Amino acid sequence: MKRLLHTSQTTDLSWLQRLVKNRFLFPALHFQLFAIPLVLDVTWSYAIFWYLFMMLSIFLIHMLPLYLHRPIALLIVIIAIVMGPTLFSVPTGLEWLSSIFIIKLVLSHCVREEPYRPDDQKNN
């Protein structure tokens, strides 16, 4: 699916493929962090902060030139790893959750796999 995300193919796409191809809608549908305050003793600000941090990071990355996507995404992940355990008190053992959320959506989904591949050689 990720290869579909960064191609120019638009014909004969299913509704799921169109959803995955959308740069902002697909990450916006990741509401997993909002389940944490429902079942654990964590404030809603935890989920809201990390969700907004993720969406703003994705927006920022897509506003930058392609060659900066990967280094900026990595910088955002490093910031999330450093900030994660210090900003909010989360239950012991779940300190990793916000960092993994950011890695999954910002570094893995948002960044093109082959950022320097010429556009005319995409399908080869």
Side-chain angles (χ1 to χ4, degrees):
M1 282 298 228
K2 186 171 180 189
R3 289 186 184 226
L4 172 72
L5 174 69
H6 298 291
T7 65
S8 59
Q9 176 187 359
T10 56
T11 58
D12 298 330
L13 296 179
S14 71
W15 68 271
L16 181 60
Q17 290 171 325
R18 284 193 303 273
L19 173 70
V20 171
K21 195 168 178 67
N22 189 303
R23 293 178 180 176
F24 302 108
L25 184 59
F26 181 74
L29 293 176
H30 284 75
F31 295 115
Q32 297 95 325
L33 286 180
F34 291 101
I36 303 301
L38 291 174
V39 296
L40 299 172
D41 187 24
V42 177
T43 63
W44 283 98
S45 60
Y46 171 82
I48 293 168
F49 174 81
W50 287 113
Y51 184 81
L52 290 176
F53 183 81
M54 178 267 301
M55 289 304 297
L56 291 172
S57 299
I58 289 172
F59 182 76
L60 170 70
I61 288 170
H62 286 298
M63 296 297 113
L64 296 171
L66 182 61
Y67 70 94
L68 289 177
H69 286 195
R70 191 174 310 271
I72 297 300
L74 186 57
L75 177 65
I76 290 168
V77 166
I78 291 169
I79 290 169
I81 289 170
V82 171
M83 283 189 339
T86 59
L87 282 181
F88 298 96
S89 62
V90 294
T92 303
L94 289 180
E95 297 87 358
W96 54 268
L97 187 62
S98 58
S99 301
I100 296 298
F101 184 73
I102 300 299
I103 289 170
K104 176 185 182 268
L105 291 167
V106 175
L107 189 60
S108 298
H109 180 75
C110 181
V111 176
R112 203 169 142 181
E113 284 184 28
E114 299 172 342
Y116 303 110
R117 187 175 183 180
D119 286 335
D120 60 343
Q121 295 179 358
K122 276 186 198 176
N123 298 324
N124 295 337

